[in-house]
Amino acid sequence: MRRLIDCPGSAQLVAAIAALRSQGLQADRYCFSGWAPRDRFAAFSAEVARMATQLQPGLTGSAIAPERFTSWLGRSLSALEQQQLRQEIGLETVDELWLATGWRPKEQLLRQLYPTARCLCYGDGLGVYVAADSVLQQRRGWRSRLRSWWSPATKPLPADGGHFIFSGDRQPPFPSQPVPLSDLEDYLHTLANALPTQAIASLRQLTAQREWGVLLTANLSEQADGAYISLTAEIEAYRQFLADQSLPSALLLKPHPRDSATKLQQLTTAIADLGVEPLVLQDSQLAFWPIEVILLSLLPDLQGLPVFTVSSAAVPLQALGADVQLGFGAAIVRRQFTRKGQRLRRHEEQQLQRWLQVGNGASNPRL
C-alpha cells in the first residue's frame, strides 16, 4: 500500500503525519511545493526534509517549485509528461493520496497522475477542514493566480474520506474521522526538540526577562495583487488592531515565508510606535518551521500566552492553550480595506471566529 502526502507547507506535513498516525499508518513519500520567494524555495524544502525525518524516520520526498505547475495545470498532460512527473515525485503507482483539501488545482493534478488512488484529506494548516467554497479561499490568490489553470481536466473530484484535527464549522461532504489533538501535540514536541540548537538559544536569550506575546500576520496585501488592501493600509490595520489590545512589553513576530523585507520593516516600526518592543524572528531556518513548534521550544506549554493574529493560525494555538485575540474587527476593516475587500474580509473574520468557537470538538477536551 503506497501512500503519498501532498505537502504545500511545513504545518501541513505535521497535520498529515498526525492523521496517518491516528489510523496506525505511515507515508511512503511526500511531494513538497510550498510558496516562497524563488531564492528561498531550496532552503524551505531543506527544512521540510529535516522535519519529515523527525516526524517519520526514513521518510523522504520530492520538492517541486510551485511555479513549475503553471505549465501543467489547466490542461491534460500527455502520457510522457505524466510519466516524467511521476518519476520526479518518486512513485510510479500510488494507492492513497493524502491531500490537504482535495480540491486545489495541484491536488487535482496529482489525481490525474494517480487515477486509481483513494483520496483522503487531512486539512489545511495544522489540520483544519476547509471546504472548496470557503470564503477564505477567495482572497488567497487562488482565484487570480490560478484562474487560467482551471479546466475540465482539473475540475475538482470528490474526496473519498478525511481525517481532521479541527473540523471547522461545516460537515465535510464525505466520510470523516477526528484526529486526536494529542497526536498533534506529540509531533509538535518532537519537532521542538529537533530545532537548530543555536537558533533556539539565541531566541531564548531574546525573550528572557521579558513579558512577551506573539503577533502572527497573514498574506493580505500580497494576495490578488493588492486588490483587497494596500501594503500601507495593511500596516495601519495591524497598528490599529494592536492599539486596541492590552499588550505585553514585547511582541515576537514570526514573518510569513512570503512576507517582504519592506513589509517586515514597516510592521516593526508600527509596533515600536506603540511602545512595544518588536522581537523579530530573524533566523533563516526557523522561518520555515511552524510557529507552534518554535513556541513549544521556548515554553513548557502555551497556557495563557498572548497571541494576536488575523489568520487561521488562531485555531490550533487556542487549542494548545494560548490566549488568542483574533481579527481586525468591522471598524478597521471598513477603514482600511478596499471596497472590494471589505465584504470579503468581514466574511473571513466571521468564519474564523466560528472556527475558533467550534475548535475540534470531541477530539479536544479543552474546548
Side-chain angles (χ1 to χ4, degrees):
M1 180 72 74
R2 292 185 175 88
R3 299 181 181 89
L4 173 67
I5 295 173
D6 177 50
C7 172
S10 56
Q12 288 88 344
L13 180 64
V14 181
I17 297 294
L20 282 158
R21 170 179 164 173
S22 72
Q23 301 302 303
L25 304 174
Q26 290 191 329
D28 289 273
R29 283 184 71 80
Y30 67 84
C31 179
F32 170 71
S33 59
W35 286 97
R38 290 188 180 185
D39 61 343
R40 303 186 72 191
F41 179 76
F44 197 172
S45 58
E47 292 306 307
V48 167
R50 289 188 58 199
M51 294 178 218
T53 58
Q54 294 295 325
L55 294 168
Q56 183 185 307
L59 179 61
T60 59
S62 59
I64 302 175
E67 293 86 356
R68 292 183 56 200
F69 282 98
T70 59
S71 64
W72 299 324
L73 292 167
R75 61 185 177 86
S76 295
L77 300 184
S78 68
L80 178 60
E81 288 174 316
Q82 291 191 36
Q83 182 181 12
Q84 291 172 338
L85 186 49
R86 284 193 294 265
Q87 289 174 348
E88 189 164 355
I89 291 171
L91 290 174
E92 184 60 32
T93 62
V94 168
D95 300 294
E96 289 182 355
L97 279 170
W98 287 72
L99 310 175
T101 68
W103 50 261
R104 284 177 177 158
K106 181 210 170 183
E107 296 171 333
Q108 292 295 307
L109 174 60
L110 289 175
R111 299 191 71 177
Q112 286 185 57
L113 294 178
Y114 304 107
T116 62
R118 294 184 68 230
C119 171
L120 300 166
C121 299
Y122 59 82
D124 204 9
L126 280 177
V128 181
Y129 167 64
V130 180
D133 60 351
S134 167
V135 68
L136 294 180
Q137 303 311 314
Q138 297 180 32
R139 184 262 308 157
R140 289 184 175 176
W142 292 106
R143 295 290 177 85
S144 58
R145 188 193 304 141
L146 305 182
R147 185 177 292 115
S148 62
W149 296 358
W150 290 96
S151 75
T154 55
K155 183 178 180 180
L157 300 170
D160 297 302
H163 304 272
F164 303 105
I165 302 169
F166 304 100
S167 59
D169 61 337
R170 294 169 59 180
Q171 191 68 25
F174 46 76
S176 64
Q177 298 181 34
V179 176
L181 181 66
S182 59
D183 286 352
L184 173 63
E185 290 179 305
D186 287 347
Y187 282 125
L188 292 175
H189 282 288
T190 295
L191 290 180
N193 293 328
L195 283 169
T197 305
Q198 184 56 48
I200 288 302
S202 299
L203 193 55
R204 286 199 182 104
Q205 185 175 10
L206 188 65
T207 56
Q209 309 303 317
R210 288 177 171 89
E211 177 196 5
W212 60 279
V214 180
L215 172 63
L216 296 177
T217 62
N219 279 154
L220 297 175
S221 56
E222 297 88 347
Q223 304 284 350
D225 301 321
Y228 300 112
I229 188 172
S230 68
L231 175 58
T232 299
E234 182 182 1
I235 299 302
E236 179 60 18
Y238 285 121
R239 191 197 68 76
Q240 293 179 10
F241 167 55
L242 292 172
D244 290 339
Q245 310 296 329
S246 177
L247 297 174
S249 60
L251 280 177
L252 178 65
L253 174 59
K254 178 182 182 291
H256 190 282
R258 295 195 294 274
D259 280 348
S260 67
T262 299
K263 177 177 177 178
L264 184 59
Q265 178 58 52
Q266 292 183 14
L267 188 56
T268 55
T269 299
I271 293 171
D273 288 346
L274 294 172
V276 175
E277 182 182 8
L279 308 175
V280 182
L281 202 160
Q282 301 273 20
D283 186 87
S284 59
Q285 287 180 291
L286 294 184
F288 301 115
W289 289 65
I291 183 61
E292 296 83 359
V293 172
I294 296 170
L295 294 177
L296 287 171
S297 72
L298 298 174
L299 302 166
D301 59 59
L302 305 189
Q303 291 295 322
L305 176 68
V307 173
F308 308 92
T309 185
V310 296
S311 78
S312 58
V315 178
L317 283 165
Q318 177 175 277
L320 293 168
D323 180 11
V324 174
Q325 302 300 316
L326 170 65
F328 291 119
I332 295 176
V333 169
R334 186 172 58 253
R335 288 193 297 266
Q336 302 303 330
F337 281 74
T338 66
R339 182 176 298 180
K340 180 178 181 180
Q342 288 176 22
R343 180 176 178 275
L344 183 58
R345 183 63 201 179
R346 284 197 300 269
H347 285 298
E348 284 182 343
E349 297 208 346
Q350 290 167 5
Q351 183 169 80
L352 289 171
Q353 292 290 354
R354 289 195 299 269
W355 284 3
L356 207 60
Q357 293 167 9
V358 172
N360 70 331
S363 63
N364 181 4
R366 295 182 209 160
L367 294 180

